[in-house]
Amino acid sequence: MAHRPTMHDVAASADVSQAVVSIVLSGSYAGRASETTAQRVRDAASELGYRPNLQAKSLKTGRTEIIGLVGDEVATSPFSGMMIKGAQDRAWQEHHTLMTVDTGGDDALERAAVETMLSHQVHGILYTAMFHREVKIPRAALDTRVVCLNARDVEGRAPSVVPDEVTGGYEATRALLDAGHTRIAMINIHSTIPAAVGRLEGYRRALSEAGLARDPALVRPGDGTHRSGVDAVEDLLALPSPPTAIFCGTDRTALG
């Protein structure tokens, strides 16, 4: 087995102490080593193929440079790919790695995923959902930093990053109004989740601003699936005065 370069090897090659190598490679050398010395250390590390021992570092600091991402259906939702990439890109900017687990909505797998991440001493956990809804974060996840993404912690124990559903519903309806439509239907998703409530509010606001009366017959419930889109459209087109445009709550509904 080839000899794996150590920090001692880098220090010898750059003619500095191991302490200098440590502060340079950690990026905290400002005021403690010159830029010339820092570059010499970086060049030596590159030439030798030196890689930091992250396991040893985690034992020293009590944490790894890993951020966990746990989601219910993050691997199967078309939208979630962008969410994961955004998290990964931002983590990488801070020299962190993203560890992602898709639980498929399985509570046991979710608990196991959180425990595994905690055993790896992750820097924090992003708790995500396929669609904006209220969730109950596993208690174990609160043993580290945790942020909800596209979800709200029902008990308010963690901060959340969520979309502006009202504005989204408003702008979608506004686009149809600007195209000349006045009979605009909405096929919503689960009626009590934040995404459904907010988008319906935005839809109603846009119609009100346009001076159009609400027609309850044009708003249909759904479950976010292809089938609910098919069923709702069949009902809408059977109305005496059917809509000329439809705002759908999800991509899958729109495909239906």
Side-chain angles (χ1 to χ4, degrees):
M1 181 182 293
H3 169 68
R4 179 177 178 177
T6 65
M7 191 177 291
H8 176 78
D9 297 326
V10 176
S13 178
D15 194 24
V16 297
S17 68
Q18 288 190 51
V20 171
V21 173
S22 178
I23 63 173
V24 168
L25 297 184
S26 69
S28 57
Y29 65 89
R32 304 164 70 183
S34 68
E35 188 57 43
T36 300
T37 298
Q39 190 58 53
R40 196 164 72 244
V41 170
R42 289 191 289 264
D43 289 343
S46 178
E47 290 169 5
L48 293 170
Y50 170 75
R51 294 184 180 87
N53 187 331
L54 296 181
Q55 184 176 14
K57 182 179 179 181
S58 68
L59 289 173
K60 180 179 179 181
T61 63
R63 70 185 187 192
T64 60
E65 302 307 307
I66 298 173
I67 294 175
L69 186 150
V70 179
D72 51 2
E73 296 181 52
V74 294
T76 56
S77 167
F79 149 75
S80 64
M82 296 175 63
M83 182 166 64
I84 294 172
K85 187 177 186 306
Q88 178 177 282
D89 290 349
R90 188 66 184 91
W92 193 249
Q93 289 175 20
E94 301 296 330
H95 309 291
H96 284 61
T97 300
L98 193 70
M99 176 190 293
T100 304
V101 176
D102 185 327
T103 68
D106 185 321
D107 291 341
L109 178 55
E110 179 181 87
R111 290 192 296 272
V114 169
E115 290 294 343
T116 298
M117 289 178 177
L118 292 177
S119 71
H120 280 282
Q121 299 177 314
V122 294
H123 192 72
I125 293 176
L126 295 173
Y127 190 87
T128 72
M130 183 182 72
F131 54 84
H132 180 190
R133 60 189 177 87
E134 292 185 328
V135 296
K136 188 171 183 179
I137 299 174
R139 189 163 298 280
L142 298 172
D143 289 344
T144 186
R145 302 170 181 85
V146 60
V147 175
C148 288
L149 181 58
N150 204 38
R152 296 180 188 274
D153 175 27
V154 70
E155 297 182 9
R157 300 165 298 174
S160 301
V161 178
V162 296
D164 183 346
E165 304 291 2
V166 176
T167 298
Y170 174 87
E171 291 185 351
T173 308
R174 188 70 256 174
L176 297 174
L177 288 166
D178 291 343
H181 296 281
T182 56
R183 289 284 292 172
I184 302 172
M186 179 182 181
I187 305 175
N188 209 345
I189 46 181
H190 310 279
S191 60
T192 59
I193 66 171
V197 174
R199 293 172 195 178
L200 179 60
E201 180 183 337
Y203 163 81
R204 289 172 171 170
R205 181 185 298 176
L207 294 180
S208 178
E209 286 185 5
L212 298 174
R214 297 180 189 173
D215 184 347
L218 293 180
V219 178
R220 297 302 168 107
D223 58 13
T225 64
H226 179 280
R227 183 73 250 171
S228 69
V230 173
D231 293 342
V233 168
E234 289 178 349
D235 289 343
L236 288 167
L237 294 182
L239 292 173
S241 179
T244 60
I246 302 172
F247 164 33
C248 295
T250 70
D251 290 341
R252 292 173 182 171
T253 300
L255 285 172

